[in-house]
Amino acid sequence: MVCPRCGNANPEVAQFCGKCGTALSSRPQPADPPVPKSGVSSEMKVGMIIASIVIPVVGVIMGIVYMNSPDPDRKAAGRTWLLIGVVAFVIYCILSGALNNLMQGNT
Ligand SMILES: [Zn+2]
């Protein structure tokens, strides 16, 4: 194969260039890992939304932290998590209140 560095034609089985010694590989070089963006990944958004529903306090705290970030993407995500955390907290309060009433009514 042709050396990518010096252009020397090498036998296909050659692992190194006979002229300059560059390692030859028939496999393409692995692509660079994607550079993480400064914003919030969709996995993070979805994960935090689930976490906010399961543990509202987490959503509220993370929401406040992210809302203080200068990054508009983080701000938007933080606002969403905070909202979900607060709503989930209110729903849990209502549910636990209703459950208490139900238990007291039965006894
Ligand atoms: Zn070479």
Side-chain angles (χ1 to χ4, degrees):
M1 67 187 295
V2 178
C3 172
R5 192 166 160 191
C6 67
N8 182 47
N10 295 285
E12 283 302 311
V13 292
Q15 297 204 324
F16 297 94
C17 174
K19 196 172 172 186
C20 71
T22 298
L24 303 173
S25 175
S26 55
R27 285 183 303 175
Q29 292 292 314
D32 289 334
V35 179
K37 290 195 293 177
S38 61
V40 187
S41 72
S42 51
E43 290 90 350
M44 177 81 175
K45 280 180 190 168
V46 174
M48 273 307 301
I49 286 170
I50 293 165
S52 303
I53 294 166
V54 177
I55 312 159
V57 177
V58 172
V60 171
I61 291 168
M62 285 293 285
I64 290 166
V65 168
Y66 269 62
M67 274 176 78
N68 285 323
S69 166
D71 190 307
D73 204 20
R74 284 186 174 215
K75 261 193 177 122
R79 203 182 309 130
T80 306
W81 300 338
L82 180 62
L83 196 71
I84 291 169
V86 169
V87 169
F89 183 73
V90 170
I91 289 170
Y92 279 130
C93 285
I94 293 166
L95 280 180
S96 68
L99 203 66
N100 274 343
N101 285 341
L102 202 70
M103 302 256 267
Q104 282 166 3
N106 281 346
T107 48

